[in-house]
Amino acid sequence: MKALIQRVMKSSVSVGGEVVSSIDQGLCVLIGISNTDTTKDMEYIVKKILNTKLFENNEGKRWAHSVVDKELEILCVSQFTLYHTLKGNKPDFHHAMPGEKSKEFYEDFLQMLRKSYKADKIKDGVFGAYMQVSIQNDGPVTIQVESPNNNAIKEVPS
């Protein structure tokens, strides 16, 4: 499982020209689910999203507070393309978990995130929809986290 965590001033998801979800300051997290992910991978990613210190404290010290410490919102967006390999110049997604199975896994992930934090602070897009994601990155700060189980997935040489 992968999470591309971005510290944002604001972020939103639109489908068909309609905003379906938005947050102000917090984190926008793009989530990739591999075909070998388990509940342990999910637990690891949830812990990292909630506890990674990406925000400054009240005295201006950088990297001192997590999203939980600051009581900020999180916007999650499922993104199977995070588990791609390039075959020449064409992306291949055989490492990504297939549709229905990944939808259930993603919903379980959101539920775990909500139970581990504050349910009303967790927003998300529309699974499987063609979405437009607006991200006003703050810093910019972007951190990639991958569960230890999936570090073995490597790109196929072209």
Side-chain angles (χ1 to χ4, degrees):
M1 192 167 187
K2 287 183 186 179
L4 194 62
I5 304 169
Q6 298 178 76
R7 186 177 73 189
V8 298
M9 292 307 294
K10 61 183 174 180
S11 186
S12 66
V13 175
S14 298
V15 176
E18 298 289 323
V19 174
V20 295
S21 199
S22 65
I23 64 168
D24 288 317
Q25 185 181 27
L27 299 176
C28 180
V29 184
L30 306 177
I31 299 294
I33 303 168
S34 85
N35 54 21
T36 60
D37 282 332
T38 66
T39 303
K40 288 183 89 170
D41 298 296
M42 188 185 305
E43 291 167 351
Y44 179 87
I45 294 297
V46 165
K47 183 178 176 182
K48 290 299 182 185
I49 291 169
L50 295 177
N51 296 306
T52 301
K53 299 193 180 299
L54 300 175
F55 298 91
E56 62 184 39
N57 65 16
N58 294 336
E59 293 76 43
K61 181 180 177 196
R62 293 182 181 192
W63 319 113
H65 284 303
S66 68
V67 69
V68 173
D69 297 333
K70 302 282 270 185
E71 297 184 4
L72 300 173
E73 294 177 300
I74 302 169
L75 175 59
C76 294
V77 180
S78 62
Q79 189 169 359
F80 74 93
T81 60
L82 289 176
Y83 274 106
H84 75 281
T85 56
L86 288 176
K87 292 187 175 180
N89 292 324
K90 183 178 179 187
D92 177 275
F93 305 107
H94 72 275
H95 288 301
M97 187 178 285
E100 255 330 287
K101 188 177 175 186
S102 65
K103 180 177 183 181
E104 183 179 326
F105 192 92
Y106 180 70
E107 288 171 359
D108 290 346
F109 159 77
L110 290 173
Q111 192 63 25
M112 183 182 288
L113 196 57
R114 288 180 175 119
K115 284 182 180 177
S116 301
Y117 185 33
K118 296 179 179 180
D120 64 322
K121 299 278 189 187
I122 308 300
K123 310 290 171 86
D124 69 301
V126 178
F127 187 90
Y130 185 80
M131 297 177 273
Q132 291 73 49
V133 182
S134 176
I135 300 168
Q136 185 179 351
N137 200 308
D138 180 23
V141 173
T142 303
I143 305 290
Q144 180 176 313
V145 178
E146 187 166 10
S147 56
N149 178 45
N150 286 312
N151 285 334
I153 296 176
K154 303 291 183 204
E155 190 167 319
V156 177
S158 41

